[in-house]
Amino acid sequence: MKPIILTSPLQGWASPLEAVPDPVFAERMMGDGIAVDPTGDCLHAPCDAVVLSVHASGHAITLRTPEGAEILMHIGLDTVALGGRGFTPCVTEGASVQRLDPLIRFDLDLLVCEARAVITPVIVTNPERFTIVRRETGKLVGVGEAIMTLEPRDVADLAVVEGDTVRRTIVVPLVHGIHARPAARIGEIARKFVSDVKITKDERDGNVRSPVALMALGVKLGDEITLAATGPDAADALAAIGDLILGGMGEKAPAPAATSEFPREGGGPGITNDGAAGSWGPAFAGEQKGAAAKVVTLPADGRLPGVTASPGIAIGQAGLFRLAEIAVTREGAGATVERAALDAALALVADRLASKSATATGAERAILSAHTALLDDPTLTEDAHAAIAQGDSAAYAWRIAIRGQADALKATGDARLAERADDMLDLERQVLRALAGEDLDERLSFPPGTILLADDLLPSHLLGLDTASIVGFCVERGGPTSHVAILAATMGLPALVAVGPALAEITADTPLILDAGAGLLHVAPDAETQATAQTAFDAQTERRRAALANAARECRTQDGVRIEAFANLGSADDADAAVRNGAEGCGLLRTEFLFLERDSAPSVEEQTADYQHIADTLAGRPLIVRLLDIGGDKPAPYLPMAAEENPALGLRGIRVGLAHPEMLDAQLRAILAVRPAGQCRIMVPMIASLAELRAVRTALDAAAAAIGHTEHVALGIMIETPAAAVTADLLASEADFLSIGTNDLTQYALAMDRGNPAVASDLDGLHPAVLRLIARTCEGGAVHGKWTGVCGGLASDPLAVPILIGLGVTELSSAPALVPEIKALVATLTIDACRAHAAAAMNCISAADVRTLAREFRP
């Protein structure tokens, strides 16, 4: 293949990428190339090519040459904030262009005045396939003058051929290593080829078609791995898979030598990591494993600590659940019979997962999708079929296949991969029950008031819990990011995980008080403690009953001031619960579930269907949709975002949307398509400047014009940064409403990471500094007659509600189950009393003092 010559797209001074004052380009996170500081006002095609994309704001364009080189040209720095002002694209996506054709005309004077810089990077975004063998920098160049020469990298240059096998060794650039999402994408690419491909690390290998096998290798950032392909299209398969990994899949780290190990989950007091989690023995047997097994006893004070999976208080008695082994026989009835039985059982479980996924929403749907992907893993079925061929029964073969892979995941030492092993155990049981002809739904039946204790629970068990009888649960194992923990929070069940082996010492029917919010299980509390807890619980229950009975009433203070009582939602099921609890609308619709745990962004149609379902469930009540809030610590594999040392301060919130305008445009169109028009309002997360709001407004106007939407759509912002709070008066001049996300505002105001257990106990939204920022926000909104709400955690805190109202908040969006209590509380308040209370709170010196003051406040 001939060299590719790229000519300068601009007239100006050519410089190396290191001269660009932006680490994304200077450190080659997007690829390799050069930069041109322009003196002209038109960007030209540097070669014959096809237009892959034109940024919605007109400041960037990507081309693909006939040889497959992808060329990104980005006019200036931070020019996305101009919202398209000063840029006039001359071509559209899919157009064929010839060298020197005009691509984008721009107003150079405007850019010089308003952009951070006008220097324009010209980037080869797939350098793993093309080498820059010559570049011209450090001089003036004219349009059409050669600036770079590329040569395609032949597989022969990258790989070693040994007969029918081609091998290639690469260094993994993925910041989180090969975990679930990259493994699934690698398997998807591999299935397009006939050849068998394996990845080897430290003398262990895994079939690339098997996500589980790849995860079990424990590949981390910076690890050296060898790809080996055998078959008729081995070279092509090796090139495709190697390029996919080297391309980063949206999780590429800025430097290959960095470390990517997940931080260990904090165990806390009484929690051990002695390897017991790797055992698949019968639950709660209490047996000693090995000579070094420790003698475990309950604490003398009866206070057993754990990790909060879902907050709340429950009072009841212990119910024990032993995850008993399903008995299987090893000897089969013949390979043909056993293989047919296994295939039928797998099909039955797959159909059941598909059926449940069709009606599931939110976290449940994501978990069922993960189970479906695991069930499709070819390594599991191949291992099981091989065991059957050796004479094993279908049940025994499936168990051996599952446990071999699950133990391999646990052996990686990665806490998150170990939690995925629990999902595999769940699938083992489901398939074994299908083979035995048993009901796939295991219902756990216990007496009313049961606090369930188990060594572990599976997602399918939790989905089958009788919540009328079970009031909470604690498990010995698990972690705060496990699927069981996620489901517990979704179901509103108080729950602790990682309590440790001492949990197995509790006998059935032992009186318990579960204070999940405090991370404690009180075992056999004395009569005084029990009576105190019961009195408080009964009073709370009665308040909730009375509040629910009056939940349909309009939310007003005792002196008649209107306070809107909304709910935070994530699905149509949440919306149904909110309506039943008297919510007057949705103050925050989290849209993240639609975008995570998948390999491509949801389509406009898919998003519209979900938003419409929720809007229909709300029956005309206002629906405030928060634009996608991911990034940094919540990567999506289809979004090219470099690793960040501090994700909380990096590319997240609306910054992601502005960096990926096609995704922002799709979400805006989906929201605009919801009927009736006007029910949906749009809320922008992580706003820090008026320029960002203006860029979103421009994108919203463009989306509305494109689909012929003429009705006004309210566009509000989340106040989550101190910058937004102190400039609320400026932002409110163009925003339609303000809503405070107190969780993020608190961590940014106090410089405390809310995910860091070392400082989490001091992270309190009632800190006087946070309250003063809230007051400043309300004052800024009032200057322009804009209302201010709270959709963060403080809106669900009864101690905070009177203070928030006193500061000027007129909308509270809480968890759906808490709406009746919030409305009942508001009905006891007067504005004057709340204002005086808020003023006193802001003059306290600590959050602890504010909470003491709040407990003494009497409406």
Side-chain angles (χ1 to χ4, degrees), residues 688-757:
S689 70
L690 193 57
E692 292 171 331
L693 176 59
R694 286 173 174 171
V696 177
R697 177 75 72 179
T698 298
L700 175 60
D701 291 344
I707 64 175
H709 189 285
T710 57
E711 297 87 350
H712 172 72
V713 178
L715 182 65
I717 60 173
M718 288 193 73
I719 304 294
E720 299 170 278
T721 65
V726 298
T727 60
D729 57 329
L730 301 178
L731 294 167
S733 67
E734 298 188 23
D736 292 314
F737 61 89
L738 314 176
S739 186
I740 302 171
T742 53
N743 301 344
D744 272 326
L745 182 61
T746 301
Q747 78 164 345
Y748 292 132
L750 302 183
M752 293 180 179
D753 181 358
R754 57 192 178 113
N756 186 342

Side-chain angles (χ1 to χ4, degrees), residues 354-504:
S355 177
K356 293 175 75 70
S357 295
T359 57
T361 59
E364 183 180 347
R365 181 168 63 183
I367 292 167
L368 291 169
S369 296
H371 283 193
T372 299
L374 288 173
L375 195 68
D376 287 340
D377 192 303
T379 295
L380 295 176
T381 52
E382 289 169 5
D383 289 352
H385 288 163
I388 288 173
Q390 297 298 316
D392 290 342
S393 69
Y396 187 85
W398 181 248
R399 170 167 287 169
I400 293 302
I402 282 279
R403 295 195 180 186
Q405 298 292 349
D407 286 342
L409 288 182
K410 294 203 169 194
T412 64
D414 188 310
R416 298 182 186 224
L417 293 183
E419 289 169 354
R420 298 294 81 78
D422 291 340
D423 293 315
M424 299 188 70
L425 180 60
D426 199 342
L427 286 175
E428 176 195 319
R429 294 183 68 84
Q430 293 182 56
V431 173
L432 292 184
R433 290 179 71 85
L435 284 166
E438 299 177 5
D439 186 354
L440 297 185
D441 290 315
E442 291 187 80
R443 296 290 177 183
L444 306 184
S445 180
F446 290 89
T450 292
I451 295 178
L452 192 64
L453 309 182
D455 76 322
D456 208 354
L457 284 171
L458 303 175
S460 59
H461 290 144
L462 197 54
L463 291 172
L465 285 181
D466 177 10
T467 53
S469 298
I470 296 174
V471 295
F473 68 86
C474 300
V475 295
E476 178 181 333
R477 299 192 287 142
T481 63
S482 68
H483 281 157
V484 165
I486 293 170
L487 282 173
T490 301
M491 298 167 69
L493 276 178
L496 293 180
V497 296
V499 179
L503 195 68

Side-chain angles (χ1 to χ4, degrees), residues 85 104 111 158 237 240 253 293 349 361 443 537 556 595 602 717 763 840:
R85 289 188 301 116
I104 301 173
L111 266 60
L158 306 170
V349 175
T361 59
R443 296 290 177 183
F537 182 81
R556 290 185 179 275
F595 289 80
I717 60 173
L763 197 69

Side-chain angles (χ1 to χ4, degrees), residues 99-118:
R99 191 187 305 273
L100 303 183
D101 282 353
L103 301 177
I104 301 173
R105 300 190 187 278
F106 54 92
D107 185 336
L108 184 59
D109 291 338
L110 183 145
L111 266 60
V112 169
C113 293
E114 298 195 25
R116 181 155 65 96
V118 295

Side-chain angles (χ1 to χ4, degrees), residues 556-605:
R556 290 185 179 275
T557 64
Q558 190 181 81
D559 48 353
V561 176
R562 181 77 168 98
I563 304 293
E564 292 182 305
F566 284 9
N568 296 335
L569 310 177
S571 67
D573 286 345
D574 290 347
D576 181 64
V579 171
R580 285 187 280 106
N581 282 287
E584 299 169 338
C586 168
L588 167 63
L589 175 63
R590 303 181 182 92
T591 59
E592 290 75 56
F593 273 126
L594 274 172
F595 289 80
L596 298 175
E597 300 294 341
R598 55 189 299 157
D599 292 324
S600 60
S603 65
V604 173
E605 294 74 20

